[in-house]
């Protein structure tokens, strides 16, 4: 198993008065000036450690200087923040994290930094994968469960839906969970709104915007809700979730692309989330694994997950060839066992089909076809992600066998484009029949914001076969 990991001007708003009885909602701006400096410095140093590549420098500097302004820090400290984001002062990350953990506000509300970073990252209508990796990293440095970020993201989406829901008798546990997060809803919207025409992020655009605005009015007041329903607000919503509501199932290949005959996204879950997962199957087989979604029944990386349906005809042919081989091997094992019984004389007279004695005759043709098509599918997937069909949200890619090969060629294609950063969060490859030399993987560093996990076998037999098939 090989893993590559990246180490572990302010919006003016006039917030409506808090509803009587609501708890006070702390923000990053309410920290002392020294601790706001520590907060921004921690992010700057973390960015330089997570994204040391030269092509990431502009993002790191822009992010930390924007955060400093968001926190209302003096412009005099901007050169210092730029230096941190450029790689200076790396030894101070733990020190700044320690300072923040002792802040009285964070002791009462330990998620202040996480939710503040989330609000800042979403304010322009896009959720960069690098920003999400940073938020996870800083959350860990502050000794908080990273899973809390998922809850805050869900809370953010909920805050833009109708806020009054009738509770059923069986929903008490759900109600308590919502109540625990309710205090963040007002801040998440206020932090992203500008009264009288500013932007507020939503879960969709188009005809649904007035409904969302109506529900949000109870949280941010009528002026803020008016901003949400404005043309500018709808444009930002569309930016985050895509023109079609960000559901990849809405994507249809309008015409045949090269050798590709089938390319469709199928939903694995019914939820919506600020980050999505795409799973890619490596082959199909009769029985339990005859569908693209079957191998991913237990996948729980995100509330919004899809599987890619591609070239089913050829993947089924490959699966049938693999089943034939496995069946033949089982028979051979049985014959070897019989040699040590009273039936040894009979089994010695058996002649096995020549096709079973030559694996290449069974599998070479479907495997070769699928090798070629997986590369084409990967390149097509790259251009779909680059065109933001999924909206401006982080994407995690997971695949096995030829599905992992699809991802490999997707990353390879994306690495050749200048706007490839900030789209892919994490990548998991299992048994990918691809080149293993470091020089082929190095370009992926600028594409993948988080981790690249490559699961493979060191077995000589497996390696020889993989090398042979890759070069076919």
């Amino acid at each position: 198993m090989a893993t590559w990991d990246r180490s572990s001007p302010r919006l003016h708003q006039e917030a409506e008065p808090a509803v009587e009885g609501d708890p006070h909602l702390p923000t990053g701006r309410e920290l002392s000036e020294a601790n706001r400096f520590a907060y921004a410095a921690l992010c700057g140093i973390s960015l330089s450690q997570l994204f040391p590549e030269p092509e990431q420098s502009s993002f790191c500097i822009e992010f930390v200087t924007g955060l400093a302004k968001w926190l209302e820090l003096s412009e005099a400290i901007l050169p210092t923040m730029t230096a941190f984001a450029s790689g200076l002062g790396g030894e101070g990350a733990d020190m700044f994290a320690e300072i923040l953990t002792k802040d009285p506000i964070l002791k009462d509300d330990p998620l202040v930094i996480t939710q503040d970073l989330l609000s800042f990252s979403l304010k322009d209508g896009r959720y960069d994968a690098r920003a999400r990796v940073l938020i996870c990293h800083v959350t860990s440095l502050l000794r908080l469960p990273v899973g809390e970020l998922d809850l805050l993201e869900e809370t953010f989406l909920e805050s833009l839906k109708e806020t009054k829901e009738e509770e059923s008798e069986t929903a008490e546990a759900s109600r308590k969970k919502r109540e625990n997060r309710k205090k963040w809803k007002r801040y998440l919207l206020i932090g992203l709104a500008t009264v009288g025409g500013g932007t507020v992020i939503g879960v969709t655009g188009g005809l649904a915007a007035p409904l969302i605005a109506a529900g949000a009015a109870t949280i941010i007041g009528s002026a803020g809700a008016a901003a949400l329903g404005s043309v500018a607000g709808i444009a930002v919503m569309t930016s985050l979730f895509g023109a079609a509501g960000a559901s990849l199932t809405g994507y249809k290949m309008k015409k045949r692309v090269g050798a590709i005959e089938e390319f469709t996204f199928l939903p694995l879950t019914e939820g919506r989330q600020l980050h999505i997962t795409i799973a890619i199957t490596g082959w199909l087989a009769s029985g339990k694994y005859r569908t693209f979604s079957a191998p991913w029944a237990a996948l729980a990386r995100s509330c919004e997950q899809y599987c890619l349906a591609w070239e089913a005809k050829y993947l089924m042919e490959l699966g049938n060839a693999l089943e034939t081989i496995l069946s033949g091997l089982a028979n051979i094992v049985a014959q070897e066992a019989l040699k040590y019984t009273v039936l040894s004389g009979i089994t010695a007279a058996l002649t096995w089909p020549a096709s079973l004695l030559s694996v290449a005759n069974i599998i070479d043709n479907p495997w070769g076809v699928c090798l070629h098509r997986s590369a084409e599918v990967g390149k097509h997937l790259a251009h779909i992600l680059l065109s933001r069909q999924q909206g401006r949200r982080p994407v995690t890619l997971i695949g096995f066998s030829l599905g992992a090969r699809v991802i490999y060629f997707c990353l390879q294609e994306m690495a050749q484009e200048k706007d490839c950063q900030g789209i892919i969060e994490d990548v998991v490859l299992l048994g990918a029949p691809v080149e293993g030399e470091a020089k082929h993987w190095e370009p992926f560093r600028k594409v993948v914001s988080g981790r690249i996990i490559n699961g493979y076998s060191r077995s000589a037999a497996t390696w020889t076969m993989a090398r042979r098939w890759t070069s076919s």
Side-chain angles (χ1 to χ4, degrees), residues 47 58 151 161 200 215 257 276 284 310 330 345 355 357 403 456 467:
L47 283 168
S58 60
L151 295 179
K161 300 176 182 177
V200 180
V257 180
I276 69 172
L284 298 175
W310 63 286
S355 59
L357 298 179
Y456 60 93
R467 283 294 296 268

Side-chain angles (χ1 to χ4, degrees), residues 109-438:
D109 294 283
L111 288 174
V112 167
I113 299 296
T114 301
Q115 60 83 19
D116 195 70
L117 270 178
L118 177 61
S119 294
F120 172 73
S121 300
L122 293 170
K123 68 181 178 63
D124 293 324
R126 60 179 181 268
Y127 196 8
D128 194 289
R130 292 165 292 187
R132 191 170 196 274
V133 170
L134 171 67
I135 298 172
C136 290
H137 181 72
V138 170
T139 300
S140 295
L141 289 178
L142 296 176
R143 302 167 193 168
L144 296 171
V146 176
E148 294 291 342
L149 175 58
D150 288 321
L151 295 179
L152 285 173
E153 290 172 337
E154 291 174 21
T155 299
F156 174 74
L157 295 182
E158 290 173 3
S159 68
L160 294 169
K161 300 176 182 177
E162 260 186 291
T163 57
K164 294 182 180 179
E165 302 176 357
E166 293 186 5
E167 179 181 4
S168 66
E169 293 181 1
T170 59
E172 182 179 358
S174 177
R175 176 183 61 79
K176 290 181 179 179
K177 185 177 180 181
R178 289 196 304 272
E179 286 179 350
N180 289 335
R181 290 184 272 162
K182 183 179 178 181
K183 65 178 182 178
W184 297 111
K185 289 186 177 181
R186 184 179 176 87
Y187 172 73
L188 284 168
L189 280 176
I190 290 175
L192 296 169
T194 57
V195 172
T199 60
V200 180
I201 314 303
V203 296
T204 184
L207 297 176
L211 177 61
I212 296 172
T218 61
I219 302 176
I220 62 175
S222 57
L228 175 60
S230 68
V231 174
I234 292 173
V236 177
M237 294 183 210
T238 303
S239 173
L240 182 62
F241 275 82
S247 176
L248 284 174
T249 54
Y251 172 80
K252 299 293 182 184
M253 193 169 62
K254 293 183 174 61
K255 60 181 180 179
R256 182 164 172 169
V257 180
I260 304 173
E261 297 177 10
E262 180 183 7
F263 189 106
T264 308
F265 294 100
L266 304 176
L268 293 174
T269 58
E270 296 181 357
R272 285 288 179 269
Q273 182 60 288
L274 289 176
H275 62 100
I276 69 172
T277 299
I278 300 175
I280 307 178
T281 299
W283 71 76
L284 298 175
S286 59
K288 180 179 179 181
Y289 296 106
R290 65 182 181 277
T291 65
F292 285 99
S293 59
W296 311 108
L299 183 64
R301 177 64 175 76
S302 169
C303 293
E304 186 174 349
Q305 301 181 151
Y306 302 90
C307 65
L308 177 61
W310 63 286
E311 307 297 71
K313 171 185 173 182
Y314 303 101
L315 292 179
M316 184 61 77
E317 288 179 0
L318 175 61
N320 290 337
L322 291 172
E323 286 186 335
T324 300
I325 293 172
L326 292 175
S327 176
L329 290 175
N331 288 334
I332 291 173
V333 170
Q335 183 187 17
E336 288 298 315
L338 288 175
K339 287 181 180 180
Y340 298 96
T341 71
V342 293
L343 300 177
S344 58
I346 299 176
T347 57
L350 293 177
T351 301
W352 291 97
S355 59
L356 289 182
L357 298 179
S358 176
V359 172
N361 288 341
I362 299 175
I363 199 171
D364 265 1
N365 186 53
W367 180 263
V369 170
C370 289
L371 274 180
H372 173 69
R373 289 176 182 266
S374 62
E376 294 300 314
V377 168
K379 294 174 184 178
H380 187 56
L381 175 60
H383 290 287
I384 289 174
L385 296 177
L386 287 166
S387 66
R388 304 287 187 168
Q389 294 285 332
Q390 73 284 1
R392 295 184 176 276
R393 301 178 290 165
V395 178
T396 291
L397 300 174
I398 302 175
F400 68 87
S401 186
L402 288 169
R405 182 177 168 86
V406 168
I407 295 173
Y408 177 89
F409 279 92
C410 172
L411 299 179
Q412 191 176 79
E413 185 75 6
M414 291 182 72
Q416 300 176 29
E417 303 294 331
K418 64 178 182 179
D419 296 325
C420 64
Q421 295 97 344
I423 299 174
I424 306 299
E425 182 178 356
D426 293 322
V427 166
V428 180
L429 308 175
L430 301 173
V434 296
E435 293 288 348
E437 294 181 42

